[in-house]
Amino acid sequence: MTAGMVLAEPLEFADLDPPVGNNAQEPTLFALQDDRVLLGWTEPHPAGFAVKLSVLEDAEWSAARTVTVSDELFVNWADFPSVVALDDGTFAAHWLWENSKNDYAYDVKISLSPDEGLTWSAPITPHDDRSVSQHGFVTLQPLEDGSLMSVWLDGRAYDKPLFTSAASNYPDAMQLRATRITPEGTRTDDVLVDAQTCSCCQTSAASLDDGTVLVAYRDRTDAEIRDISVVRHQGGMWSEPTNVHNDGWEISGCPVNGPAIATAGQTAAVAWFTAANDKPEVKVAFSSDGGRNFGDPAKVSLGIPAGRVDILMLDPQTAFVTWVEWANESEVILACQITTGQQCKDLQLIARNNGAGSVNFPRTARTNEGVYLSWTQPSNSDDPEPSSTIRTVFASY
């Protein structure tokens, strides 16, 4: 598919068979520059849990490679590890490490591999803070200078009587913070990007063609409005947040439902879930000026969306968005193509789940060959011993 081609028909997906173990869960995908694809996931291990990866090349998966194994991994359906690749071929993986026996107290760990996952460096903690707090919902974004940006939600000011830095009038403010790591494992000090965010929604990042990084996340105001914001990192500086759309969703708790952002050239597209005015919707909005301003959003969801979005750019005008809905007492993964200034077209039912659990957060990736989609697939609901696996599908252009 050339850069200016707009797809006119739904994509036809076929199953792949990744080399995962029993009860594998929470996959992530990353497209390499040479059109190979990284799949990362978590699965049980005799020593606790393992974070693993496999590389897909010419429709064949490599043997599973282990990133880390421990009984101190923090394993969660919504806050999960990821694997990416830097421009020089270095793999980077992140996972979460319990820092106490308190609920939701964990640190971020990042490790680098110079040999595509066969060996890994000693773990790096991207945050300076070492308090017994939540540090998670990480996004790893490779940079054009060959380094790695890490952004995460940070609980150093959460439920503290005295803040180490100003946050807000609330004693339970999470922060968005970031740092940069070189391929040699040197990191910068972590930087405060936003002093008050929603506490447990996934973050997302993408780079423009000039190297500017856009980070999308669920923000939070003192009035408990939790809409989606985007910040820009350019020339070593972070911008003030830009509100993607004024949904006005007032909610006094975290919906555990982060946005997704994708870019092509100077175009950015953001997908997100909102339930403002008690009306659940999945929306998509485009920016033609590098994330500085966003146009009016288009609703893509149908009836009862659960959200859990992801988004890809197929070309500079067209995005491919996925989300989860409830339909006839089933959980379904839906997708559609949407073009700037238009509504969702070519709506597709990707999968229907009637299993003993959830598909959780389906993840996508695209190469020059096509689009990949992966999710946690529960076993049948009547299975006497419920389990899960990773289902991964591919559609060529």
Side-chain angles (χ1 to χ4, degrees), residues 359-373:
V359 297
N360 294 344
F361 289 84
R363 301 289 87 181
T364 59
R366 65 154 294 205
T367 67
N368 290 321
E369 305 300 321
V371 171
Y372 297 81
L373 178 62

Side-chain angles (χ1 to χ4, degrees), residues 227-255:
D227 291 343
I228 304 304
S229 288
V230 167
V231 288
R232 294 166 43 91
H233 183 266
Q234 185 177 32
M237 302 294 293
W238 287 98
S239 71
E240 292 297 315
T242 294
N243 179 247
V244 175
H245 182 257
N246 183 23
D247 294 320
W249 189 12
E250 181 181 350
I251 178 173
S252 57
C254 179

Side-chain angles (χ1 to χ4, degrees), residues 68-98:
T68 189
V69 175
S70 176
D71 61 358
E72 296 185 85
L73 295 185
F74 179 81
V75 178
N76 184 268
W77 74 289
D79 194 358
F80 39 83
S82 68
V83 182
V84 303
L86 307 186
D87 283 353
D88 69 352
T90 298
F91 284 8
H94 99 269
W95 65 91
L96 306 172
W97 189 270
E98 295 178 348

Side-chain angles (χ1 to χ4, degrees), residues 5 9 29 43 74 78 90 102 122 132 138 230 272 274 353 370 395:
M5 184 182 295
E9 298 179 355
L29 291 168
E43 65 181 49
F74 179 81
T90 298
N102 295 356
V132 179
V138 177
V230 167
W272 73 96
T274 182
N353 172 43

Side-chain angles (χ1 to χ4, degrees), residues 174-177 191-197 217 219-220 229 231 241:
M174 294 292 289
Q175 301 176 351
L176 181 69
R177 302 188 76 94
V191 176
L192 177 66
V193 179
D194 190 327
Q196 181 171 273
T197 71
Y217 60 101
D219 217 335
R220 181 186 178 192
S229 288
V231 288

